[in-house]
Amino acid sequence: MPLVCLKDFKAHARERLSKSSWDFIEGVADEGITRDENIAAFKKIRLRPRYLRDVSEVDTRTTIQGEEISAPICISPTAFHGIFWPDGEVSTARAAQAAGICYITSTFASCTLEDIVASAPQGLRWFQLYVQSDWQLNKQLIQRVESLGFKALVITVDAPIIGKRREDIRNQFDLMKSLQLKNLRLPTERNSLPCTQAPPISASFCWDNLSWIQSITQLPIILKGILTKEDAELAVEHNVHGIIVSNHGGRQLDEVPASIDALSEVVSAVKGKIEVYLDGGVRTGTDVLKALALGAKCIFLGRPILWGLAYKGEDGVEEVLNILKNEFHTSMSLIGCRSVAEINRDLIQFSRL
């Protein structure tokens, strides 16, 4: 039976993975309210289609930070892809390159940055940084990714400490004990670092530290995890280049707003001065359209990419991306949009249900 939607990949991934691996994908903070709300909030938005328009040719292409992508559907940073497929991030990077979209590589990748780049040399890649307590290590990482051709630096801001993930605790962190960190040492140091010996993420990183990072790199800086107008305004004041509206998939602070619910507030706050993206809860092509109608430049996809990877590696990720891209193309056609630029807020309304 063919897999026809992203939800189908979830079922197959669950069958293929151990309990601890599955819990790692689906793990949430506390009661998981935010994770569930991320998906449910999209269903409170209804579409207002416009008909009798020529949609014989529909173009899904757009740009992010000046780089063209085939559709406003990209890959969020997620850790340890090697848990789900032997080639890990190498497979993910190849799929992203084939799909013509951006892949944000995690600080906690299973593969070395050099191997990921070599596997997909033409791919558009950004790097996600968990700011470390060791500032020399941060400098080495940032300059390393810039030299490797990564096009943007995505700083995760919503994880000064790790949220309480109940399933990881119940599993006694067994999965973590076998994981290796490949990129928190210099490439010349051949030994990987056990995950259990990872240096701490900085709990003191704040707005004043951004200028130091900006002083050591030419890469555009994107902040991932912003949810409020106050922080969005500060991001603009501190000359960052973009914001990813995200709640970490409900894995950090539970009971914060769904990403799609926070999007309008952030978009309004930046007043078009920087690009805004959305991460969290996207499962269909109409979800992508709704996010763009509310002002997102593109969406980033997290868990569904891991479902595809667990199902069939590179081919599975490519299938997930192609299904979502095709659904988005269909939604654009049926709502009356010939280009991404034509998608606007007039095409949606909020349900009273």
Side-chain angles (χ1 to χ4, degrees), residues 268-286:
S268 296
V270 304
K271 296 180 171 61
K273 295 175 182 176
I274 60 176
E275 293 183 351
V276 178
Y277 319 105
L278 178 127
D279 161 76
V282 171
R283 297 295 182 266
T284 67
T286 53

Side-chain angles (χ1 to χ4, degrees), residues 294-324:
L294 286 169
K297 186 70 167 159
C298 82
I299 68 93
F300 286 89
L301 203 60
R303 288 183 178 94
I305 294 298
L306 301 181
W307 301 340
L309 189 66
Y311 168 61
K312 206 192 293 183
E314 176 185 343
D315 292 340
V317 174
E318 201 168 343
E319 282 186 47
V320 165
L321 291 169
N322 286 337
I323 285 173
L324 196 59

Side-chain angles (χ1 to χ4, degrees), residues 101-132:
I101 53 94
C102 178
Y103 164 42
I104 307 178
T105 302
S106 170
T107 296
F108 297 147
S110 303
C111 304
T112 67
L113 299 172
E114 289 73 16
D115 286 346
I116 294 167
V117 171
S119 70
Q122 304 306 313
L124 175 59
R125 51 189 173 269
W126 295 357
F127 179 74
Q128 175 268 336
L129 176 69
Y130 282 116
V131 175
Q132 307 293 305

Side-chain angles (χ1 to χ4, degrees), residues 29-44:
D30 298 317
E31 297 177 281
I33 291 169
T34 295
R35 188 270 311 271
D36 295 341
E37 278 290 310
N38 270 349
I39 298 169
F42 274 100
K43 309 314 171 191
K44 299 173 185 175

Side-chain angles (χ1 to χ4, degrees), residues 210-284:
L210 277 173
S211 59
W212 180 85
I213 294 177
Q214 290 162 332
S215 74
I216 64 166
T217 182
Q218 296 298 309
L219 293 176
I221 292 175
I222 318 293
L223 299 185
K224 178 177 180 287
I226 300 293
L227 291 170
T228 64
K229 77 178 186 65
E230 292 87 352
D231 280 344
E233 289 168 352
L234 282 168
V236 173
E237 287 177 24
H238 286 82
N239 300 311
V240 304
H241 292 79
I243 288 171
I244 302 178
V245 176
S246 172
N247 51 43
H248 219 105
R251 295 165 67 86
Q252 281 297 101
L253 179 61
D254 198 17
E255 301 187 57
V256 299
S259 295
I260 193 69
D261 286 342
L263 179 60
S264 293
E265 178 177 329
V266 172
V267 168
S268 296
V270 304
K271 296 180 171 61
K273 295 175 182 176
I274 60 176
E275 293 183 351
V276 178
Y277 319 105
L278 178 127
D279 161 76
V282 171
R283 297 295 182 266
T284 67

Side-chain angles (χ1 to χ4, degrees), residues 131-139 202 205 209 212-213:
V131 175
Q132 307 293 305
S133 296
D134 182 340
W135 285 95
Q136 186 60 31
L137 178 56
N138 290 321
K139 184 177 181 179
S202 175
F205 178 66
N209 300 124
W212 180 85
I213 294 177

